[in-house]
Amino acid sequence: MSSLNKLSSWKEIGNYSNKITEKSLNEIFMEDKDRFNKFSILENDLLLDFSKNHIDDKMMELFSRLLVEIDLKGKIHDLFNGEKINTSENRSVLHFLLRGTYTSKTKELYENDIKKGLEKLKLFSKKFQNGEIIGYSGKKIKNVINIGIGGSDLGPKMICEGLKYYSNRSVNNYFISNVDPSNLSEVLLNINPEESIFIISSKSFGTIETLKNANICKNWFKDKSKNNQNLKKHFFGVTANIKKAKAFGIEENNIFPIWDWVGGRYSLWSSVGLPIILKIGYENFEMLLDGANEIDNHFREKPFDKNIPIVLACLGILYNNFHNCETHAIFPYDDYLKYLPMYLQQADMESNGKNISKDSTEVNYNTGPILWGDVGTNVQHSFFQLIHQGTKKIPCDFIGFVNSNNEKEELHEILLSNMVGQTMALMKGKNILEVKEELGDESKYTNYEIIKNSKVFKGNKPSNTLLFNKLTPYNLGRLIAIYEHKIFVQGCIWNINSFDQWGVELGKVLSDEIYEKIKNKDRSDIDNSTKGQLDFIEKFRQ
Ligand code: F6P
């Protein structure tokens, strides 16, 4: 592909974006009464309203030309057909097979194996549900401790919390991810080994944090249970490296396989989802997969302007590359989704935080944004000040559910009103005339000027709103798949490999070296600042 900057549609988007922003969002809404109908997508009981963005018909047309110029259609075809699009690791990207999204080619190659893997999970889940999974002393298992990091932690943690309403309340999920002893200690303090199973979740079975934590838990468990034979009832593995898991001491039958074509940050659909399955049951897990499958098909089949992930991807590109927005915010208005922003941070930033293009040259345009966010309405009482009146433009996604799982008086109406109200306030703002009117008689104030100016909101701030009927397993599956495909499309436009993660390697290597230096009191070949820190650590380390 020739450089993105050289594509005619790219240049035109840039030029037109300057022109279109001469008018405010408010103004363009006043001019076009049909704007919501044009710039929203209704997919059964799912709505994407993207009308509050700096776009019009012509901008949409330019983006559709861009997608043709980069051959998005061909790239989607390659993805779903299992071409090795992860070129630096020479791998296919096929996590969506786990939710039943096949082509005739991938079906023939992979379906049998996948069915076997899912069947094993289903069987285990049934036994667990029926109380047949018991500990060494005959007690029923009620604590599920996941030991894993990154994709082997964030997905299961986010979904277990996200679908708590649908869960078995007598199952307690714990997550040990950090190599911080406090993480592990706080979990072990809370559990009785007789009623606990440990799932060592690591695709590579080589991640230092996971292996250290797993070893400590193994020793803790052996110590408590007083018999090495008991391990087999309590230690399970999720991995693509069966050999290493067995060497660690996990029984072969207790190992749930994953495949090299499941990327870590896309792995919750696989056996990495075992903690989810034990918490919400296999049927609910299947609903999660079905919801994601619906979006896979939507993504493969719908035209650009009716395609939720593609539209979201293009809007993200518009702000990232043509409005110089450095960040993108995600605001779920549902307390169960408190880990969603954290989950999406890995999904998006580990995927698209790249500066080398697929042609192995350095890109000369911005790629992945800084993604952040938290739960509404809490956010409104903290950093929303900056979004409303700060100096930065921050495109936002608002995610809401028309019905709550826990209806209580009118709390949910208030929650929804806040969400919708925020998107309106961001767009409309409040001008000086409105402020003056609100303040009334000037003589009542000693500091009229400063109050007046401080109360002005410039508005004209873009946002997307995604509204689902209810937070269900099916809808959460849809939501995650929407973001997965959005990330893929953006990677295609930026011409980067969204599926490797070499950027996390350097830190790992250097921390190993530093660890050796701390142990050996060695200060050779390090800069002054690093040496200063190591000296300080040595002085105060007890
Ligand atoms: O360090 C990055 C990473 O490779 C992530 O991509 C991955 O999700 C995480 O580490 C954990 O890897 P593993 O499942 O192999 O332990």
Side-chain angles (χ1 to χ4, degrees), residues 338-400:
K338 62 170 169 256
Y339 296 130
L340 180 73
M342 209 192 282
Y343 169 80
L344 289 178
Q345 277 178 331
Q346 189 203 12
D348 199 319
M349 290 157 83
E350 197 170 49
S351 297
N352 285 342
K354 314 275 165 74
N355 64 6
I356 294 296
S357 77
K358 282 198 134 184
D359 311 321
S360 70
T361 53
E362 187 163 357
V363 299
N364 53 1
Y365 41 81
N366 279 336
T367 60
I370 300 159
L371 200 116
W372 62 288
D374 202 349
V375 171
T377 63
N378 299 9
V379 291
Q380 293 172 208
H381 298 273
S382 61
F383 47 70
F384 262 42
Q385 166 63 37
L386 183 144
I387 302 183
H388 280 291
Q389 285 190 314
T391 53
K392 296 176 174 61
K393 186 188 282 175
I394 300 171
C396 311
D397 290 355
F398 287 81
I399 300 163

Side-chain angles (χ1 to χ4, degrees), residues 149-152 201-204 207 264-265 346 350 501 504 508:
I149 196 163
S152 302
S201 187
S202 175
K203 181 178 166 186
S204 58
T207 304
R265 53 194 172 275
Q346 189 203 12
E350 197 170 49
Q501 55 285 316
V504 296
K508 287 188 197 172

Side-chain angles (χ1 to χ4, degrees), residues 424-442:
M424 201 169 103
L426 285 168
M427 179 180 81
K428 271 192 75 208
K430 196 194 268 185
N431 64 32
I432 195 87
L433 293 175
E434 290 169 296
V435 174
K436 277 183 173 171
E437 164 109 28
E438 180 186 294
L439 289 177
D441 186 3
E442 196 176 328

Side-chain angles (χ1 to χ4, degrees), residues 101-345:
T101 311
Y102 292 102
T103 61
S104 49
K105 181 179 165 196
T106 56
K107 204 174 175 80
E108 201 182 317
L109 286 173
Y110 301 102
E111 196 185 25
N112 281 340
D113 217 16
I114 290 171
K115 274 192 171 159
K116 263 193 241 156
L118 289 175
E119 205 42 52
K120 181 164 175 159
L121 286 168
K122 189 173 179 177
L123 206 72
F124 187 69
S125 145
K126 285 279 163 260
K127 282 190 177 167
F128 186 82
Q129 250 174 359
N130 297 339
E132 291 167 39
I133 304 295
I134 44 168
Y136 65 89
S137 64
K139 285 193 176 159
K140 218 172 122 181
I141 297 298
K142 63 172 195 188
N143 302 315
V144 177
I145 299 101
N146 189 75
I147 307 178
I149 196 163
S152 302
D153 165 64
L154 292 164
K157 185 154 85 187
M158 183 268 289
I159 304 273
C160 285
E161 184 64 26
L163 297 178
K164 204 187 228 169
Y165 180 81
Y166 298 86
S167 73
N168 179 347
R169 302 282 176 167
S170 59
V171 175
N172 307 312
N173 287 97
Y174 296 93
F175 292 89
I176 301 177
S177 56
N178 202 346
V179 75
D180 179 349
S182 304
N183 184 182
L184 175 138
S185 306
E186 287 298 332
V187 174
L188 296 185
L189 265 179
N190 272 310
I191 57 167
N192 174 355
E194 296 164 63
E195 301 171 316
S196 306
I197 56 169
F198 293 84
I199 302 172
I200 324 293
S201 187
S202 175
K203 181 178 166 186
S204 58
F205 225 87
T207 304
I208 184 78
E209 289 92 333
T210 302
L211 294 185
K212 284 274 171 207
N213 281 325
N215 266 308
I216 296 174
C217 289
K218 185 167 77 173
N219 292 336
W220 173 87
F221 183 84
K222 277 186 188 169
D223 196 41
K224 297 269 176 196
S225 78
K226 311 264 188 277
N227 182 346
N228 282 356
Q229 283 309 308
N230 292 334
L231 275 183
K232 61 171 174 267
K233 285 188 166 226
H234 293 262
F235 277 75
F236 295 80
V238 170
T239 188
N241 196 337
I242 312 244
K243 214 167 133 199
K244 271 187 138 182
K246 278 168 71 182
F248 172 86
I250 300 176
E251 293 275 301
E252 184 148 12
N253 199 33
N254 284 0
I255 298 173
F256 296 86
I258 54 174
W259 298 269
D260 77 341
W261 42 259
V262 183
R265 53 194 172 275
Y266 300 94
S267 62
L268 69 86
W269 320 101
S270 70
S271 324
V272 170
L274 182 57
I276 306 172
I277 296 172
L278 301 183
K279 180 71 176 161
I280 66 172
Y282 196 79
E283 285 74 20
N284 280 322
F285 184 69
E286 273 183 326
M287 297 296 280
L288 185 83
L289 301 182
D290 289 349
N293 171 263
E294 185 205 305
I295 294 298
D296 293 337
N297 293 329
H298 166 100
F299 176 56
R300 289 200 286 189
E301 288 156 16
K302 292 282 160 136
F304 155 57
D305 59 340
K306 291 289 164 226
N307 196 308
I308 296 175
I310 301 185
V311 165
L312 288 176
C314 291
L315 292 167
I317 298 275
L318 179 68
Y319 296 113
N320 187 72
N321 294 88
F322 300 103
H323 287 239
N324 298 321
C325 298
E326 294 269 308
T327 82
H328 185 99
I330 307 275
F331 302 126
Y333 273 62
D334 193 303
D335 229 60
Y336 286 128
L337 292 183
K338 62 170 169 256
Y339 296 130
L340 180 73
M342 209 192 282
Y343 169 80
L344 289 178
Q345 277 178 331

